[in-house]
Amino acid sequence: MSTHPTQARAPRRLWWALSALAAVACTGPGQPTPVSGTSAGSASGDGAAPVWQVRGPGGLAAIEPGTRDSALLSAQACSDCHEAQHRDWAQSRHALAWTNGIFQSEYRRKPRRWCVHCHAPLAPQVDEVEAEADGGALAEQGVSCAACHVRAGRILARSHHPDSPHDTQVAADFGGPSFCADCHQFSFPVFALDGHAERSTDFPMQATVSQFLAARRAGKVPWPAEATGPAEARDCRTCHARGEAGHAYQGAHEPAMLERALATSVCRDDQVIVVTVENRGAGHNVPTGDIHRHLVVRVWRSTAPEHLFEAFLGRRFEPDPSGGKRTTWDSTLAPAERRRYRVPVADLGGEPDEPVAIEARYVYVLDEHPRRSPGEPTYRVLYERRAPIEELSPCAP
């Protein structure tokens, strides 16, 4: 499958002009229209909203835990009995949801409450941010234990251990795809003049969960070897619930997850370099999630940078007359999809015997080389090689 003809060799000035359309207020919270195909009904099966669903779609409101008791809201308090789960969580992006440099660099430019609703989603956390721009001890916990496990002042879980001291609400669909969709599936918002999000549009901003559900229905999810049970019963946790106690919830910031998800291969077809990028291990599109994320493939010779070949795998956006933004172009990789780029060596310029540089990167931000560093990596290298054309392996027939 070849790339879109207008994207194969976009000059850098065009690339940046198009990329600028992707800029939005923050790195992305919320939840959209309800996700079909999830186990979203109540545990009793009466068709009511799930017990954990305490806010409407779109992340327009905070999550109300129904308590202000620090014994239930503090992740540190949870660690007294749940040490392994706390260790997992503490090294996850959930724990860093509010404090990570990429989010904070975006949020400081446009500090909108809508962003807080998924990066420090509990109502008491939002109150801290309203009182103090940088938040407080509770906000700094990001997506904490309570963000998932506390509703109506009770512990929420899939089951209740007989030795547990907690007043527990059991929900069979807790932690399923529709639960994850509360922050990982949502539409573009429309902001009022005062900066608050007044409604959601019909245009998806993040569609990670619906992408996964479509792939699961089509039998295209590349489940990890350790996956058990029928495919229709597997969910987001099957791939993402990692760590000692299954609470690390790793994603694109974890090198091992990227290595599992993406494969980059290079070969030579006579005097043409062929670069193939494949989504071999993710059950949703790659990249997914934050709208700034993209892949970039580059082929060049050092003495002729003006002949750089550069391909972009991501999304483009434009303002919609009805408010918010909408996607105008999407070259992300669906599960099991591969994208192949053919680069004639003659197009690269330079000397005939000069080595060729080849690189693929996963980029987390709009500009992989920002003027101000967010204090954490803005990209990860997926593949890099520098070699004479003759040293590249011939492509298979």
Side-chain angles (χ1 to χ4, degrees), residues 248-265:
Y249 288 97
Q250 298 172 350
H253 286 271
E254 179 63 38
M257 292 291 283
L258 280 182
E259 183 177 353
R260 179 179 179 272
L262 292 165
T264 305
S265 60

Side-chain angles (χ1 to χ4, degrees), residues 5-41:
T6 63
Q7 296 296 319
R9 257 183 292 278
R12 294 188 70 83
R13 60 182 179 276
L14 174 60
W15 190 91
W16 290 119
L18 289 170
S19 295
L21 292 174
V24 293
C26 60
T27 60
Q31 180 225 344
T33 55
V35 178
S36 62
T38 64
S39 54

Side-chain angles (χ1 to χ4, degrees), residues 264-386:
T264 305
S265 60
V266 177
C267 63
R268 170 176 52 86
D269 182 8
D270 193 15
Q271 291 298 301
V272 175
I273 298 170
V274 181
V275 183
T276 303
V277 184
E278 179 184 6
N279 178 355
R280 66 178 178 184
H284 46 68
N285 288 28
V286 178
T288 193
D290 182 75
I291 64 170
H292 296 318
R293 294 180 180 182
H294 60 277
L295 303 176
V296 62
V297 174
R298 297 184 178 111
V299 184
W300 74 97
R301 276 177 166 154
S302 298
T303 63
E306 71 276 12
H307 292 288
L308 167 75
F309 170 92
E310 187 172 72
F312 173 92
L313 292 83
R315 294 181 291 161
R316 310 291 194 197
F317 309 91
E318 69 178 16
D320 186 77
S322 64
K325 289 183 172 66
R326 63 186 180 93
T327 302
T328 59
W329 194 81
D330 187 342
S331 61
T332 58
L333 293 169
E337 184 181 6
R338 62 180 59 179
R339 195 72 43 75
R340 183 171 288 118
Y341 302 97
R342 295 178 59 85
V343 186
V345 177
D347 290 354
L348 298 176
E351 298 298 324
D353 59 348
E354 183 182 353
V356 174
I358 306 161
E359 183 180 70
R361 292 183 176 186
Y362 187 109
V363 185
Y364 301 108
V365 294
L366 181 64
D367 181 356
E368 63 194 286
H369 300 293
R371 292 182 179 180
R372 289 187 178 182
S373 170
E376 64 175 327
T378 56
Y379 66 87
R380 291 197 185 276
V381 175
L382 304 173
Y383 179 96
E384 61 180 345
R385 185 177 181 185
R386 180 178 173 84

Side-chain angles (χ1 to χ4, degrees), residues 76-376:
Q76 188 59 47
C78 297
S79 70
D80 291 343
C81 294
H82 302 281
E83 295 181 56
Q85 289 85 350
H86 184 272
R87 280 195 297 270
D88 282 354
W89 166 82
Q91 57 186 314
S92 73
R93 294 298 287 191
H94 277 167
L96 297 174
W98 174 255
T99 58
N100 78 80
I102 290 175
F103 169 73
Q104 281 295 325
S105 64
E106 292 284 340
Y107 181 74
R108 285 173 186 143
R109 287 196 305 115
K110 290 188 177 180
R112 287 177 166 163
R113 182 168 178 163
W114 181 73
C115 305
V116 186
H117 287 167
C118 270
H119 286 264
L122 294 173
Q125 293 177 304
V126 175
D127 290 343
E128 283 190 351
V129 175
E130 291 287 299
E132 180 66 43
D134 292 334
L138 201 60
E140 288 179 357
Q141 295 180 12
V143 180
S144 62
C145 314
C148 295
H149 285 283
V150 179
R151 298 291 187 275
R154 305 174 70 191
I155 294 295
L156 183 65
R158 288 176 86 91
S159 61
H160 177 68
H161 194 281
D163 295 333
S164 172
H166 294 300
D167 175 18
T168 303
Q169 169 71 59
V170 174
D173 61 349
F174 173 74
S178 57
F179 185 89
C180 298
D182 198 43
C183 275
H184 294 282
Q185 176 91 18
F186 56 94
S187 297
F188 279 102
V190 174
F191 291 105
L193 292 177
D194 64 2
H196 83 274
E198 57 184 9
R199 63 181 174 89
S200 296
T201 70
D202 294 328
F203 305 115
M205 184 173 176
Q206 288 190 25
T208 307
V209 176
S210 60
Q211 292 165 0
F212 162 72
L213 292 172
R216 188 175 68 176
R217 287 192 297 268
K220 291 186 176 181
V221 177
W223 301 109
E226 65 272 18
T228 58
E232 62 271 17
R234 300 172 188 169
D235 55 27
C236 314
R237 295 168 301 160
T238 305
C239 294
H240 292 280
R242 299 300 183 188
E244 182 182 358
H247 278 62
Y249 288 97
Q250 298 172 350
H253 286 271
E254 179 63 38
M257 292 291 283
L258 280 182
E259 183 177 353
R260 179 179 179 272
L262 292 165
T264 305
S265 60
V266 177
C267 63
R268 170 176 52 86
D269 182 8
D270 193 15
Q271 291 298 301
V272 175
I273 298 170
V274 181
V275 183
T276 303
V277 184
E278 179 184 6
N279 178 355
R280 66 178 178 184
H284 46 68
N285 288 28
V286 178
T288 193
D290 182 75
I291 64 170
H292 296 318
R293 294 180 180 182
H294 60 277
L295 303 176
V296 62
V297 174
R298 297 184 178 111
V299 184
W300 74 97
R301 276 177 166 154
S302 298
T303 63
E306 71 276 12
H307 292 288
L308 167 75
F309 170 92
E310 187 172 72
F312 173 92
L313 292 83
R315 294 181 291 161
R316 310 291 194 197
F317 309 91
E318 69 178 16
D320 186 77
S322 64
K325 289 183 172 66
R326 63 186 180 93
T327 302
T328 59
W329 194 81
D330 187 342
S331 61
T332 58
L333 293 169
E337 184 181 6
R338 62 180 59 179
R339 195 72 43 75
R340 183 171 288 118
Y341 302 97
R342 295 178 59 85
V343 186
V345 177
D347 290 354
L348 298 176
E351 298 298 324
D353 59 348
E354 183 182 353
V356 174
I358 306 161
E359 183 180 70
R361 292 183 176 186
Y362 187 109
V363 185
Y364 301 108
V365 294
L366 181 64
D367 181 356
E368 63 194 286
H369 300 293
R371 292 182 179 180
R372 289 187 178 182
S373 170
E376 64 175 327

Side-chain angles (χ1 to χ4, degrees), residues 65-78:
T67 181
R68 297 301 184 267
D69 184 354
S70 61
L72 288 177
L73 298 182
S74 167
Q76 188 59 47
C78 297

